[in-house]
Amino acid sequence: MEEDVQYSTVQFKSGASAPKNNKEELSVYSSIKIKKPLTSVTQNKDDNIIYSQVELKNLFQSEPSNQNETIYSDIKEGEQKRQKENGPKVQAAGRRFCLLAVCSGIICFLLCASIIIIIIYFTMETHKQKQNLSELEAKNKQLNLEKRLLQNKTEDLTMNVTKLENQTEQLTAEKKFFEIQIKKMTVNPTTILQKQIEQLRSNSEAIIKYTNFPGNLFCPDGACQTCPKDWIQFKGSCYFFSYFNDPWKTWDESRQFCQRKNSDLVVINNHEEQTFIKNRIEYYYDEWHGYWIGLRRINNNWIWVDNSQDTLGYWKNPGSSDNFVHIVHDHPLKQSWVQIRNGFQNRFICEVKAFIF
């Protein structure tokens, strides 16, 4: 902005000039009379002219004057006066505006900072929750894996215990058998000879016991044997175990096969015979396949093929409604008989009395 300059002119009416040698002080009293009132229009002009009347009292002591001198002056006022009058107000308003703007800026900054902090906080919390959830899922998977491992170990231990029990029973049976043999060996030789004589007598009658002696079974090629070929002797009987891979047979088909060999399906009479048979069968295909034995249900009674009633009852599934029985490998000795339907196909066991001669 350009600097405003005020100009004033003073005109003396009498045309007198001030004395040169004036020892006393001059006192000037003036009064300013505004000829035209200032309006909004005049205030906006660059130069405003103010007329004032100046009255001099005792201006000169040496020359008294009875008449007051009136001096008119023109005062030109620019924008500087208005700035001096309105400057403080504008500056105060500006300072208030600046203060308000600064306060508003600070408040906006604090709000933005608060919002950013809240967003960061919730983001961190969400990340922590996701991380915790991932850790929990990993722990859950690990626990499930450990649970399955423990279940598998438990099953393995159960199977091992069962096998140990079976082996214990087998060893017990073999122990009893060897004890009997030892007792027989310690008997008086005379007694042994008498028993051998009696045995020979009974052997001479062995052929008579057969209604139709199967000579082709016991005496192939003219040489008689205690058991037929591929049969296994246990005490007074011979046993045939069908180890055929296929085709397997139903219960009826298995019995017909045994009868064609002048024998029948096996009849288990005691615990020793059960142990003998159980130790010679083998696992095949799956745990439900086994070997047919000569036991079936007739009139709700379990009858062997020799028409004797069963008294052992080594059942695996006693509540079944099926009427035929086979013996399986992977079960305890006294829980190895499984009730099953006749149409199921299995291997089988035949039994015939040994030919002792």
Side-chain angles (χ1 to χ4, degrees):
M1 293 176 66
E2 295 180 357
E3 185 179 359
D4 293 331
V5 181
Q6 296 179 0
Y7 300 94
S8 65
T9 59
V10 180
Q11 295 179 358
F12 296 95
K13 295 177 70 176
S14 60
S17 59
K20 297 181 180 179
N21 298 320
N22 190 10
K23 299 180 179 178
E24 295 180 357
E25 294 181 352
L26 294 179
S27 299
V28 180
Y29 299 90
S30 65
S31 60
I32 298 173
K33 294 180 181 179
I34 301 172
K35 293 175 69 177
K36 292 182 181 180
L38 297 176
T39 63
S40 60
V41 176
T42 59
Q43 289 176 358
N44 294 328
K45 294 181 179 180
D46 295 334
D47 296 327
N48 292 323
I49 301 172
I50 300 174
Y51 296 92
S52 63
Q53 182 179 0
V54 182
E55 294 180 357
L56 301 178
K57 185 178 180 181
N58 296 327
L59 181 60
F60 305 104
Q61 294 293 334
S62 61
E63 294 180 0
S65 178
N66 294 324
Q67 189 177 357
N68 293 331
E69 297 291 336
T70 302
I71 300 172
Y72 295 92
S73 62
D74 294 332
I75 300 174
K76 294 182 180 180
E77 184 181 26
E79 291 298 328
Q80 185 175 6
K81 183 177 180 180
R82 289 196 302 273
Q83 289 182 358
K84 289 181 179 180
E85 291 177 354
N86 298 327
K89 295 181 180 180
V90 173
Q91 291 179 358
R95 285 193 296 270
R96 287 195 296 271
F97 177 77
C98 292
L99 181 60
L100 180 61
V102 171
C103 293
S104 300
I106 292 173
I107 292 172
C108 292
F109 174 77
L110 292 176
L111 288 174
C112 293
S114 301
I115 292 171
I116 293 171
I117 290 172
I118 291 171
I119 292 172
I120 293 172
Y121 173 77
F122 280 107
T123 303
M124 293 178 65
E125 287 296 322
T126 304
H127 179 71
K128 287 182 180 179
Q129 293 296 331
K130 289 182 180 179
Q131 188 174 4
N132 292 334
L133 180 61
S134 301
E135 291 178 356
L136 289 175
E137 290 177 351
K139 289 182 180 179
N140 189 22
K141 290 181 181 179
Q142 185 178 359
L143 290 174
N144 289 332
L145 179 61
E146 291 177 355
K147 180 181 178 182
R148 287 195 294 270
L149 291 174
L150 288 175
Q151 289 177 349
N152 295 333
K153 289 182 180 180
T154 304
E155 292 176 358
D156 293 339
L157 289 174
T158 304
M159 293 181 63
N160 291 332
V161 170
T162 304
K163 290 181 179 179
L164 288 174
E165 290 178 352
N166 295 337
Q167 292 177 358
T168 303
E169 292 178 355
Q170 181 180 355
L171 291 173
T172 302
E174 292 178 354
K175 179 182 177 182
K176 291 180 180 179
F177 175 77
F178 285 120
E179 288 177 351
I180 294 171
Q181 295 297 324
I182 291 172
K183 288 180 180 180
K184 288 181 179 180
M185 293 175 65
T186 57
V187 177
N188 193 334
T190 305
T191 306
I192 295 176
L193 289 174
Q194 290 177 353
K195 287 184 177 182
Q196 289 177 350
I197 293 171
E198 291 177 357
Q199 186 176 2
L200 289 173
R201 290 176 180 176
S202 61
N203 290 340
S204 62
E205 298 175 356
I207 297 177
I208 299 175
K209 292 181 181 179
Y210 286 96
T211 303
N212 295 314
F213 179 70
N216 59 343
L217 183 65
F218 286 96
C219 304
D221 302 329
C224 295
Q225 300 175 356
T226 304
C227 288
K229 184 180 179 181
D230 298 328
W231 292 58
I232 301 173
Q233 181 183 359
F234 178 73
K235 293 188 176 180
S237 297
C238 299
Y239 300 86
F240 175 78
F241 295 85
S242 77
Y243 296 119
F244 307 124
N245 291 328
D246 57 8
W248 304 319
K249 300 180 183 298
T250 64
W251 191 89
D252 287 334
E253 292 172 347
S254 301
R255 189 178 187 192
Q256 291 172 6
F257 179 91
C258 294
Q259 288 175 346
R260 287 195 297 269
K261 298 290 185 180
N262 299 104
S263 61
D264 209 336
L265 289 174
V266 64
V267 177
I268 301 175
N269 294 313
N270 50 58
H271 181 76
E272 291 181 1
E273 190 174 10
Q274 165 75 4
T275 303
F276 165 76
I277 293 172
K278 183 72 165 52
N279 291 335
R280 279 161 180 78
I281 62 175
E282 61 184 22
Y283 175 89
Y284 70 98
Y285 195 72
D286 61 26
E287 61 177 343
W288 297 106
H289 279 74
Y291 296 75
W292 290 118
I293 60 177
L295 184 62
R296 58 184 172 175
R297 189 188 342 233
I298 300 176
N299 297 326
N300 209 26
N301 294 317
W302 289 103
I303 306 299
W304 293 98
V305 290
D306 63 354
N307 295 323
S308 62
Q309 188 169 356
D310 176 64
T311 58
L312 298 176
Y314 294 153
W315 299 112
K316 171 63 179 175
N317 56 340
S320 176
S321 60
D322 295 317
N323 297 323
F324 296 87
V325 183
H326 68 175
I327 183 172
V328 293
H329 178 270
D330 287 348
H331 289 289
L333 182 67
K334 294 183 179 181
Q335 296 178 354
S336 57
W337 295 358
V338 179
Q339 300 176 26
I340 200 167
R341 67 183 185 278
N342 184 16
F344 197 81
Q345 292 183 339
N346 281 311
R347 296 175 179 178
F348 55 90
I349 305 170
C350 299
E351 180 182 11
V352 70
K353 290 181 180 180
F355 177 57
I356 301 175
F357 54 90

